[in-house]
Amino acid sequence: VTGNHETVDYDATEHTVSGYTVTAYKDGVAYDGYTSADLTFTGNDVVTRTESGTTNMGLTNAQFTNNNQNFNVTAITVTDGYLTVNPVADSIVVHIAGHQGEQVYSGNALHVNGYDWEARYAATGAAVPGTLFPSTCFTTTNDAAASQLNVGVDSMHLQAGEFSLTAAAANNFPHVGFVIDQDGWAKINPSVTQLPLACPTDTNKVYNGLAQSAAAATCGQYPVTIEYSTDNGESWSTTNPSRTDVGSTPVRVRATHQ
């Protein structure tokens, strides 16, 4: 008795092997007068498998008995049947591209999450079908999230070493690497909207022999630099201008987003 067997390459689908063949020998010569119908079988001769590896039918001599009294069966030998799924031999590279987002400063935080990915055969660069290598084949320890409130950039800091195959996928795909094509980030750009600016109001002073000034201020919602000009905007300084003697000094004020 020889169990049927098959060897296939992993393709993410379930494969099945069933049955066995019976070959009888009489005086050492193959004899076709004795067939599988003359044997009673009490075991299981069907195996299924999807993942790489081997599953045996488990056929044994004890599962087969002669049911035809016209034959004197002196021995029954059994070769077990099996189904073997080979792992994918090709080298595969998984390309990771973090999501990126940006917006103008508004006082609201920007949140960016996730990444795009594609598995490609290393030899040809062709995409690996998603049915063969789905996203469930790998995991990452990076939360792939970025958040930014003020002007600046928050990066995900994606690294290839943070990505790995699951245990099952590692058996099916023994030659897989990860590369980061682009990091993910959230970016806040400076606002070009005019900022609310309160010009000095306490501008009338009484002479006291000391230098006197009146500072400007913003509404406090934005990080800004306040500058003053006493030459009609030809030059600017963060130093608040002052006056000691009786008279007036025209002052222009501007606020620049930091």
Side-chain angles (χ1 to χ4, degrees):
V1 178
T2 302
N4 293 334
H5 60 273
E6 184 177 6
T7 299
V8 298
D9 293 330
Y10 176 79
D11 60 2
T13 61
E14 185 178 81
H15 296 269
T16 300
V17 172
S18 62
Y20 52 85
T21 59
V22 173
T23 303
Y25 294 87
K26 180 179 180 182
D27 299 327
V29 179
Y31 174 67
D32 58 7
Y34 191 92
T35 67
S36 59
D38 299 313
L39 284 175
T40 298
F41 175 59
T42 59
N44 173 60
D45 64 348
V46 179
V47 290
T48 60
R49 189 174 185 91
T50 301
E51 309 297 332
S52 63
T54 298
T55 300
N56 295 313
M57 288 183 182
L59 302 180
T60 65
N61 298 53
Q63 297 169 335
F64 294 89
T65 55
N66 174 48
N67 61 30
N68 190 335
Q69 300 306 313
N70 294 316
F71 296 96
N72 178 27
V73 178
T74 57
I76 298 176
T77 60
V78 174
T79 300
D80 200 7
Y82 62 87
L83 170 61
T84 295
V85 178
N86 290 327
V88 174
D90 297 294
S91 294
I92 293 174
V93 178
V94 181
H95 294 258
I96 306 293
H99 291 166
Q100 300 174 343
E102 59 183 305
Q103 67 182 28
V104 173
Y105 177 82
S106 65
N108 297 317
L110 172 63
H111 303 285
V112 178
N113 299 281
Y115 52 84
D116 295 323
W117 69 276
E118 184 180 50
R120 304 173 194 166
Y121 291 109
T124 64
V128 180
T131 53
L132 179 64
F133 192 95
S135 61
T136 52
C137 284
F138 65 94
T139 60
T140 178
T141 56
N142 191 310
D143 60 4
S147 180
Q148 187 69 17
L149 174 61
N150 296 316
V151 173
V153 179
D154 180 40
S155 298
M156 295 180 184
H157 302 292
L158 299 175
Q159 299 182 45
E162 298 169 331
F163 292 81
S164 61
L165 295 177
T166 63
N171 290 329
N172 297 326
F173 303 94
H175 311 293
V176 174
F178 294 87
V179 297
I180 307 300
D181 290 340
Q182 72 174 28
D183 197 9
W185 43 254
K187 181 180 181 181
I188 300 295
N189 295 316
S191 173
V192 297
T193 304
Q194 285 189 329
L195 302 175
L197 179 63
C199 287
T201 56
D202 186 18
T203 57
N204 293 320
K205 307 287 186 177
V206 176
Y207 176 79
N208 62 5
L210 302 175
Q212 301 185 71
S213 62
T218 65
C219 63
Q221 296 180 357
Y222 304 89
V224 298
T225 298
I226 298 176
E227 297 175 289
Y228 305 88
S229 174
T230 57
D231 55 7
N232 199 32
E234 292 295 327
S235 61
W236 295 88
S237 172
T238 56
T239 301
N240 185 10
S242 62
R243 186 178 181 87
T244 302
D245 298 327
V246 174
S248 63
T249 299
V251 179
R252 299 187 68 179
V253 183
R254 74 179 181 185
T256 304
H257 200 296
Q258 294 178 358

